[in-house]
Amino acid sequence: MTSDNRTVQYLEPMESKEAVGRAAELFVDTFRTAPAGVWSAPGRVNLIGEHTDYNAGLCLPIALPHRTYIALSPRKDRLVRLVSDMGNREMTTVDLEGLEALGVEGWAAYPAGVAWALREDGFAGVQGFDAAFVSCVPVGGGLSSSAAMTCSTALALDDVYDLGFGGTDAGRVKLIDAAKRAENEMAGASTGGLDQNASMRCKANRALLLDCRPELDAVQSAQQEPFNLGALGLELLVVDTQATHQLNDGQYAQRRSTCEEAARILHVDNLRVTADQIAASADPFQALKETLDALPDPTMKKRVRHVVTEIFRVRSFVRAFASGDTVEAGRLFNASHDSLAADYEVTVPELDVAVDVARHHGVYGARMTGGGFGGSIIALVEQGSGRTIAQAIADEFAHRGFAAPRALPVAASDSARREA
Ligand code: GLA
């Protein structure tokens, strides 16, 4: 270790009791009255199935123990007053009256956008609210800090305005729609539904096998897969590279529209249909080749190859994991990253270096997680070896002059809930 290297930092999740107290305190300090309640929603790690959600594909997230807490009270008017410990703790006010899509700047677009979306969806009883946020989900870490914010807001509004959706999985799907609309239409990030589904539907010790075909109902769209790494002698390492990641800067939307254009050319509703056709053919390799041959542009071919093969990898990963085949599960992690780097082109040097270092330290497999362009990596590692690998990544980052990465302890955790 050289002298500029430091012990890798671990970002521990906040204890629920402490976080609830802090959110309530921030609320009282700001609004001079007690909140009606406190709710929380987790960030997520997607195990595999990247950039498949908006292609009606498959993904496999778990919820993090890192959560965003919201202390909230309803208001009788249409004002939304917000404060957060993630920023400068100054109050921001948004008026829902006459609010239009993209009408709010900055982070307030996310929570205000949820109330706006619910009202747009016909829930006119939803009025303004006061809210204080406290969070330990790293912002820009590719771990869905925005979904943790929109989903905690949606659940809180559901509760105080008696919408009756939060108690069932099918109901939560409605709240997910509002959270996603807030992100797409108010914050201008054209993301799919992976993050919001993870934050609202994941269960402790389970991975959520999410099928994003729009025609499926709540029951058909989600399967809870056992996720017990300890039983396999494994640990999941999560490292936030601290390379900034933003999904509303055009790159993400560009990937999405290339896929939509490809689907048009292939005369299908979405690339999931293509993936299913290929999987069902007598010779899938040949079918994939013919599909790619039908596309006009080399970049588009690469994007489609990623989406189709990534959907296949999700299925294979679920099978491998269920049968305890950690070597195959790790190989699929590696293949997913390589496809995201070479075909989907959403990695950055920090992600590739972190993955490379992990692979050189004997992990089963390592990959970026989330949208890319920065954010976090995950690695399937032998139990007890995570810290050494995280340190090796931190050392290499210091050597290259990258910002110091930080690791997160993980366990598959519970979805959004009322805390107090
Ligand atoms: C981001 C988006 C998700 C999903 C992933 C990539 O996290 O918010 O909808 O598209 O990228 O899998």
Side-chain angles (χ1 to χ4, degrees):
M1 208 188 268
T2 55
S3 57
D4 60 347
N5 290 343
R6 274 187 258 125
T7 308
V8 66
Q9 204 202 334
Y10 262 76
L11 184 65
E12 298 292 337
M14 279 188 289
E15 290 292 331
S16 152
K17 203 164 156 227
E18 184 209 332
V20 167
R22 280 178 49 191
E25 196 181 301
L26 181 59
F27 189 97
V28 173
D29 283 354
T30 312
F31 306 115
R32 302 282 155 208
T33 172
V38 181
W39 296 257
S40 75
R44 62 96 189 92
V45 148
N46 190 23
L47 295 172
I48 196 160
E50 228 61 88
H51 289 276
T52 51
D53 59 350
Y54 53 83
N55 289 302
L58 301 168
C59 0
L60 190 69
I62 58 167
L64 287 172
H66 302 73
R67 308 176 76 86
T68 293
Y69 293 78
I70 179 175
L72 180 142
S73 283
R75 292 176 62 89
K76 297 211 160 28
D77 57 19
R78 309 265 160 85
L79 290 186
V80 174
R81 299 192 302 171
L82 304 164
V83 63
S84 156
D85 79 340
M86 291 167 268
N88 56 11
R89 289 177 161 246
E90 273 178 22
M91 192 174 76
T92 306
T93 304
V94 174
D95 193 346
L96 294 175
E97 195 63 57
L99 184 61
E100 291 187 358
L102 299 176
V104 184
E105 302 235 312
W107 70 269
Y110 293 90
V114 175
W116 171 82
L118 286 169
R119 289 172 58 80
E120 289 281 304
D121 286 345
F123 302 103
V126 173
Q127 301 290 313
F129 60 94
D130 289 337
F133 289 96
V134 162
S135 180
C136 61
V137 184
V139 175
L143 301 172
S144 291
S145 58
S146 10
M149 183 173 259
T150 52
C151 291
S152 58
T153 306
L155 192 66
L157 292 178
D158 174 70
D159 223 345
V160 298
Y161 285 113
D162 256 335
L163 303 182
F165 291 133
T168 63
D169 188 54
R172 285 184 172 222
V173 170
K174 288 256 181 233
L175 299 179
I176 287 168
D177 285 345
K180 187 166 166 277
R181 245 188 119 174
E183 199 154 326
N184 293 167
E185 296 176 39
M186 194 55 71
S190 61
T191 62
L194 158 66
D195 311 342
Q196 299 80 5
N197 273 280
S199 194
M200 280 290 198
R201 305 176 81 186
C202 279
K203 292 191 192 312
N205 304 316
R206 296 278 184 277
L208 178 73
L209 176 57
L210 185 67
D211 189 326
C212 301
R213 280 178 291 170
E215 64 271 24
L216 301 187
D217 66 21
V219 175
Q220 296 162 331
S221 68
Q223 219 168 290
Q224 300 286 345
E225 296 287 324
F227 188 70
N228 186 352
L229 290 172
L232 298 174
L234 295 176
E235 183 184 325
L236 186 72
L237 173 66
V238 179
V239 177
D240 174 7
T241 65
Q242 304 246 49
T244 359
H245 138 111
Q246 269 191 338
L247 294 179
N248 51 2
D249 74 347
Q251 288 280 351
Y252 183 96
Q254 208 180 61
R255 297 298 182 283
R256 190 172 176 153
S257 60
T258 302
C259 292
E260 284 162 2
E261 177 63 18
R264 268 192 295 278
I265 295 171
L266 296 169
H267 306 293
V268 288
D269 284 346
N270 51 58
L271 293 180
R272 168 64 177 279
V273 176
T274 307
D276 286 352
Q277 285 167 350
I278 293 173
S281 73
D283 183 348
F285 285 104
Q286 182 58 24
L288 176 58
K289 187 180 172 300
E290 283 166 14
T291 301
L292 300 180
D293 285 346
L295 297 170
D297 162 279
T299 303
M300 188 181 276
K301 289 181 204 285
K302 291 206 284 184
R303 305 295 189 251
V304 172
R305 186 166 53 195
H306 166 74
V307 172
V308 169
T309 57
E310 184 77 355
I311 291 171
F312 295 166
R313 280 188 287 273
V314 177
R315 281 206 193 94
S316 306
F317 184 89
V318 169
R319 263 198 310 271
F321 207 78
S323 64
D325 189 346
T326 42
V327 172
E328 174 64 0
R331 187 193 70 76
L332 291 159
F333 260 34
N334 287 339
S336 170
H337 183 86
D338 296 345
S339 173
L340 287 157
D343 278 353
Y344 222 63
E345 297 178 285
V346 292
T347 65
V348 292
E350 286 87 342
L351 291 170
D352 291 328
V353 168
V355 159
D356 261 7
V357 172
R359 288 180 187 171
H360 281 106
H361 281 76
V363 302
Y364 286 101
R367 59 178 295 270
M368 56 152 274
T369 186
F373 311 110
S376 300
I377 68 127
I378 55 177
L380 259 190
V381 311
E382 209 75 67
Q383 210 166 34
S385 69
R387 193 169 282 271
T388 312
I389 297 160
Q391 186 63 54
I393 294 171
D395 292 348
E396 184 61 25
F397 272 36
H399 177 66
R400 288 176 183 252
F402 294 166
R406 37 182 197 181
L408 289 89
V410 280
S413 303
D414 260 325
S415 61
R417 61 180 178 228
R418 184 167 188 156
E419 299 275 349

